[in-house]
Amino acid sequence: MQIELIDTFLDLIETRSFNRTAERLGVTQSTVSARLVALEEALGARLFIRSRAGTQLSTDGLRFEAHARLIRQDWTRARRAVGEKGTAALSLRLGIQNDLSAAYLGDLIADFRKLLPDTAFYVEPDYSTQMCSDLIAGASDFAVMFTPKPHPDLHFTSVGEIPYRLIATAAQAMAQVVPETYVLANFSPAFEAAHRQLLPGLSVAPLSVGQSTAVSGLLRALGGAGYVMEATARAMVTEGRFAFVTDAPIIRQPVYAAMHLRDRTSSLHRQLVRTVRRRFEGGEPVA
């Protein structure tokens, strides 16, 4: 199985450039050309048309694209199946947004184990972009994330939202919060856009981080103000050092379940979505 021929074809669809694909795959341009020729000979069809305007898919290339994506995913899943050890009847590889891991991962896995008692789980906390890539390639089966990445091979469904609250060590009203002591949270493009719209004056703070646990850690070490997950905010306020900024807006981060398009109608994935939705719509995370 020369899966590198499929990988090269799919990368060319994204770059439309033999030079760029060669750079991304770490090979020479002549290798890219040779792989494409080999694939075209095996299929008996021309897949790309090269012209001054660039590299474009031919009609046959358009027809083959969906099959190529399935071939790549099936190959990855097949390699995983062969390499998996243990006695579990089923094995699932799951991704979860880094910022959700500490508060939700334990409860979610407990829910999944009740749902699928004979299943082995491998969980990888990560960022949305990488989780989308893993789902496309077949390296992951299901993910919970903040930022859907539109792609013809992916399916996303909303499962709820996470509220973030502003807390501070020396401010109880927005008028007292200043950029110099503000820890700017940058959890996702959606959060960043909402924050910029609601609090434009604080979007130029000199310190910015991308995880709720990092924000809370910096606040504990340095003091100041910042947005953290609501459950974390309540716990930190209970400690006595922090207080809610009472007139600050609550920023809500949407959460999505993600899977390969071919899995969107499977009974298993529907059960996973329902389980995740119950947890984010009605469950209470740990602090």
Side-chain angles (χ1 to χ4, degrees):
M1 169 65 74
Q2 292 182 295
I3 198 66
E4 66 270 12
L5 305 186
I6 299 296
D7 288 337
T8 303
F9 170 74
L10 291 174
D11 197 82
L12 273 170
I13 291 175
E14 293 184 14
T15 66
R16 303 300 170 98
S17 165
F18 280 66
N19 282 331
R20 182 67 181 130
T21 287
E23 292 175 0
R24 284 168 43 140
L25 298 182
V27 298
T28 64
Q29 184 178 346
S30 60
T31 297
V32 172
S33 298
R35 288 178 180 178
L36 181 60
V37 168
L39 183 59
E40 289 178 329
E41 289 178 350
L43 293 169
R46 188 178 184 185
L47 301 176
F48 285 96
I49 299 173
R50 300 175 72 175
S51 67
R52 291 181 179 178
T55 301
Q56 302 294 326
L57 277 171
S58 68
T59 300
D60 285 330
L62 288 167
R63 293 184 182 129
F64 181 62
E65 179 182 357
H67 298 284
R69 296 188 187 282
L70 292 177
I71 289 170
R72 181 171 65 177
Q73 193 201 36
D74 284 341
W75 176 248
T76 303
R77 287 185 170 180
R79 289 186 63 188
R80 278 174 43 196
V82 170
E84 286 169 353
K85 309 299 181 184
T87 59
L90 179 66
S91 177
L92 287 176
R93 297 177 74 90
L94 311 175
I96 186 169
Q97 189 80 27
N98 267 316
D99 207 39
L100 298 174
S101 179
Y104 284 92
L105 182 56
D107 289 334
L108 283 173
I109 293 301
D111 292 343
F112 290 158
R113 281 183 161 178
K114 291 178 183 177
L115 177 69
L116 303 165
D118 297 324
T119 299
F121 297 95
Y122 174 82
V123 187
E124 183 71 29
D126 216 323
Y127 291 99
S128 298
T129 298
Q130 184 58 52
M131 287 189 285
C132 287
S133 297
D134 289 342
L135 288 167
I136 292 167
S140 181
D141 300 301
F142 185 81
V144 180
M145 65 181 61
F146 282 168
T147 308
K149 179 183 178 182
H151 191 279
D153 288 347
L154 296 180
H155 175 75
F156 304 96
T157 183
S158 174
V159 292
E161 59 185 19
I162 302 296
Y164 285 83
R165 299 285 302 274
L166 182 59
I167 58 173
T169 53
Q172 294 184 341
M174 285 302 305
Q176 299 170 309
V177 180
V178 295
E180 291 75 17
T181 57
Y182 184 68
V183 180
L184 176 61
N186 188 9
F187 305 129
S188 73
F191 187 96
E192 181 185 11
H195 185 282
R196 187 169 56 250
Q197 180 181 7
L198 293 168
L199 303 169
L202 293 176
S203 295
V204 294
L207 179 58
S208 177
V209 294
Q211 282 186 309
S212 188
T213 53
V215 175
S216 60
L218 286 168
L219 290 176
R220 285 190 169 101
L222 304 175
Y227 273 90
V228 295
M229 198 174 296
E230 186 172 50
T232 303
R234 288 198 300 268
M236 293 176 72
V237 169
T238 300
E239 293 171 6
R241 185 183 173 198
F242 296 89
F244 286 111
V245 179
T246 55
D247 58 343
I250 297 174
I251 299 180
R252 301 183 183 278
Q253 168 64 52
V255 181
Y256 301 88
M259 66 207 74
H260 195 276
L261 186 67
R262 70 193 301 185
D263 294 324
R264 71 191 187 281
T265 59
S266 80
S267 174
L268 171 61
H269 284 76
R270 286 179 175 179
Q271 291 180 78
L272 292 175
V273 169
R274 286 195 296 268
T275 301
V276 173
R277 182 174 285 124
R278 283 195 297 269
R279 180 57 60 182
F280 282 97
E281 287 184 344
E284 184 68 19
V286 297

